[in-house]
Amino acid sequence: MGKETLTITDNRTGKTYEIPIQNDTIKALDLRQIKVKPEEFGMMTYDPAFMNTASCKSKITFIDGDKGILRYRGYPIEQLAEKSTYVETAYLLIHGELPTKEQLDDWTFQINHHTIIHENIKKFMDGFHYDANPMGMLVGTVGALSTFYKDAKEIHDPENRKKQIYRLIGKMITLSAFAFRHSKGMPYAYPDNELSYPGNFLNMLWKMTESKFKPHPVLERALDVLFILHADHEQNCSTSAMRGVGSSHVDPFSAVAAAAAALYGPLHGGANAEVLYMLDEIGSKENIPAFIKNVKEGKGKLMGFGHRVYKNFDPRAKIIKKLAEDVFAVTGRNPKLDIAMELERIALKDEYFIQRKLYANVDFYSGLIYQAMDFPIDMFPVLFAIGRTSGWIAQWQEMLTDPEQKIARPRQVYLGYESRDYQSLEERSKVAVKSAV
Ligand code: ACO
């Protein structure tokens, strides 16, 4: 094998540069030495949307988009979805290893014992409008937790971080359930520490007058698996927001609020809701060809299809499709499933989608499951955020403890005006009148 370097010739100057290669990457800063004149800033890379830029080194999640592989800390997602629980997977993501029985018991105890929220949070939850979007409420309330836990700003103290991590994972389900109950005009239901993490969440969502809520085991497990599938996905939009905002050394509640805000968007966590709106718009199977024709003409997208990284299949979509059968056996079949399956079948055979390597992603079927479980569409991104919290935390902690990381601060290619002099309002008005004439 040759040398682990890249030789670049600048044809403007004829100069040659030898740049080290490490892990199949070059350091963007190594390009800075490439200049025509010494006073120049130096060469940069231009990469809108970070299509080909690694912003960090990470040991958390591995994705091979061409082969449809997703692994957390080396464990295939298929094995975790089959054998693990969300709480155990969260431990794995954050600590790097699966826990021993003792470690898992302690971890579970700590998360359970941090689910209660301060009574004042209920008060500002009440302040939201009756039809407030629960994801908007979650973004607001999770950020507000920083005002209750002032010690959270001690981010460089590992013991302190641990406490905030218990709080974040524990309270996400409580805030999410309270946001839901508020939007339904229902009294808040408190956590029950005897239940599993997803069971407790279901309890806070659906408990009515019964003294003890018993979650349906199939739905409880389905939710657990959905949380596992959404737990991390390396440097996606919301995780990049978590790392970017966290790099300013703000407390983790504020950083999670930023990450959750990123997840709120229709191209990210809002996509499964968009799938259901799309299926409603299509209405019935006969309308699918006309819908596909419109998509191909650039009039809208096939929501739940395509992925920045997966260009073969999304392994999470495979697991979810199977999970849907278990859920529908309990809840009854979601009538939109037939349209979704036919839509997928037609799209997968169509040259437009084949050429662009567009396949069903995790969101194509997840919305159908959530809807069958009686979750309103507005709650879908909230469910995503609960699962993704452990990934955000793992990535945030890795960023904080990485000596190569600094505050995130990208560069730009400035293409605006050169320096020009300020004109008074009068002078500007004269110019405007002249150009109007
Ligand atoms: N329907 C129709 N055409 C599509 C779709 C789609 N869902 N996705 C991509 N394309 C087309 C683009 O128009 C583009 O076509 P062109 O080459 O003729 O211009 C080509 O495929 C490449 O697409 P890009 O937008 O460049 O791909 P990118 O990697 O930037 O986008 C994304 C990925 C945002 C997921 C995109 O596929 C999309 O918008 N999908 C629908 C929304 C969705 O399902 N999001 C969930 C993602 S998974 C998650 O967040 C958990």
Side-chain angles (χ1 to χ4, degrees):
M1 199 164 117
K3 267 164 97 184
E4 281 290 292
T5 60
L6 185 74
T7 300
I8 299 175
T9 303
D10 184 345
N11 293 319
R12 299 170 303 176
T13 58
K15 272 196 203 161
T16 294
Y17 303 83
E18 192 174 348
I19 292 178
I21 298 175
Q22 205 189 33
N23 305 311
D24 289 331
T25 56
I26 56 162
K27 279 192 179 158
L29 263 183
D30 284 343
L31 300 178
R32 190 73 73 73
Q33 58 183 307
I34 304 176
K35 302 176 182 189
V36 175
K37 294 183 195 142
E39 67 274 18
E40 277 178 9
F41 183 77
M43 184 75 79
M44 292 189 294
T45 54
Y46 173 58
D47 190 9
F50 308 117
M51 301 280 288
N52 196 37
T53 294
S55 62
C56 62
K57 293 176 181 164
S58 183
K59 294 183 175 170
I60 301 171
T61 291
F62 173 77
I63 300 175
D64 183 329
D66 291 328
K67 295 194 184 126
I69 292 174
L70 169 62
R71 296 183 200 130
Y72 298 159
R73 302 281 187 184
Y75 294 101
I77 191 66
E78 293 80 2
Q79 289 183 22
L80 293 169
E82 191 190 332
K83 299 179 180 158
S84 187
T85 61
Y86 173 69
V87 167
E88 185 182 70
T89 298
Y91 184 99
L92 170 71
L93 284 168
I94 293 166
H95 296 85
E97 295 296 337
L98 282 167
T100 61
K101 162 118 187 36
E102 210 174 58
Q103 287 166 333
L104 182 61
D105 287 347
D106 178 59
W107 176 245
T108 308
F109 177 91
Q110 294 292 355
I111 290 172
N112 275 347
H113 286 78
H114 285 88
T115 46
I116 295 262
I117 52 176
H118 193 287
E119 286 292 293
N120 282 1
I121 296 178
K122 275 171 42 184
K123 287 189 196 145
F124 62 73
M125 195 69 89
D126 286 340
F128 284 105
H129 206 42
Y130 73 95
D131 60 353
N133 186 297
M135 188 62 176
M137 293 170 76
L138 179 66
V139 170
T141 49
V142 77
L145 287 182
S146 71
T147 65
F148 290 84
Y149 307 112
K150 293 193 181 137
D151 59 331
K153 63 180 190 303
E154 309 298 338
I155 53 162
H156 297 297
D157 171 4
E159 279 310 305
N160 189 292
R161 279 206 302 268
K162 254 191 207 169
K163 203 196 266 178
Q164 313 314 326
I165 291 171
Y166 300 143
R167 284 175 172 156
L168 262 168
I169 298 179
K171 290 179 207 311
M172 274 308 264
I173 47 172
T174 316
L175 293 175
S176 302
F178 280 26
F180 170 75
R181 303 274 291 206
H182 173 79
S183 65
K184 292 272 164 213
M186 287 160 78
Y188 305 119
Y190 283 89
D192 175 348
N193 290 351
E194 285 173 8
L195 294 173
S196 70
Y197 188 79
N200 199 0
F201 179 50
L202 290 170
N203 155 65
M204 288 189 275
L205 288 170
W206 303 119
K207 187 170 188 287
M208 299 301 281
T209 51
E210 67 273 41
S211 56
K212 178 108 185 147
F213 179 84
K214 287 200 186 90
H216 192 292
V218 172
L219 304 185
E220 182 182 8
R221 178 62 193 157
L223 201 52
D224 214 17
V225 173
L226 285 158
F227 288 159
I228 293 172
L229 297 184
H230 286 93
D232 196 48
H233 214 231
E234 51 122 301
Q235 308 313 314
N236 56 86
C237 177
S238 58
T239 302
S240 300
M242 180 81 193
R243 278 183 175 257
V245 172
S247 76
S248 75
H249 291 176
V250 74
D251 68 89
F253 299 105
S254 303
V256 164
L263 195 62
Y264 203 172
L267 295 188
H268 193 10
N272 51 8
E274 297 294 326
V275 171
L276 291 196
Y277 296 135
M278 174 188 74
L279 294 175
D280 276 342
E281 190 193 316
I282 295 173
S284 68
K285 285 201 229 171
E286 314 79 84
N287 300 330
I288 293 175
F291 177 81
I292 296 265
K293 185 169 170 280
N294 280 342
V295 168
K296 285 158 57 176
E297 285 169 4
K299 298 176 200 153
K301 277 191 170 167
L302 174 45
M303 297 310 286
F305 256 64
H307 200 277
R308 171 61 57 80
V309 180
Y310 295 119
K311 299 296 176 195
N312 187 346
F313 68 94
D314 180 340
R316 303 166 301 173
K318 269 196 171 174
I319 299 168
I320 282 195
K321 212 170 161 182
K322 201 182 150 294
L323 195 67
E325 287 167 22
D326 302 342
V327 171
F328 295 153
V330 175
T331 61
R333 202 175 160 84
N334 189 323
K336 294 190 189 87
L337 182 67
D338 291 334
I339 304 175
M341 287 174 78
E342 182 63 2
L343 190 55
E344 185 186 17
R345 195 186 64 78
I346 294 179
L348 290 182
K349 281 198 312 192
D350 192 295
E351 248 335 276
Y352 175 96
F353 297 93
I354 295 169
Q355 256 181 19
R356 290 167 178 76
K357 297 184 176 229
L358 301 171
Y359 297 85
N361 60 46
V362 66
D363 290 318
F364 195 68
Y365 287 103
S366 65
L368 291 168
I369 301 183
Y370 292 144
Q371 196 170 52
M373 288 173 77
D374 269 348
F375 285 109
I377 291 182
D378 282 351
M379 276 297 281
F380 295 179
V382 173
L383 299 166
F384 193 157
I386 294 173
R388 186 55 58 88
T389 298
S390 54
W392 289 333
I393 292 169
Q395 300 272 352
W396 166 73
Q397 195 155 242
E398 190 178 63
M399 178 270 303
L400 281 181
T401 52
D402 179 348
E404 288 185 351
Q405 289 293 338
K406 281 171 178 267
I407 186 166
R409 204 316 186 171
R411 294 279 174 179
Q412 63 169 8
V413 179
Y414 178 71
L415 298 177
Y417 287 106
E418 293 289 327
S419 171
R420 50 184 181 156
D421 291 324
Y422 181 86
Q423 288 182 314
S424 70
L425 191 54
E426 216 173 43
E427 285 169 323
R428 273 177 277 152
S429 306
K430 272 191 226 155
V431 174
V433 169
K434 258 193 203 161
S435 52
V437 172

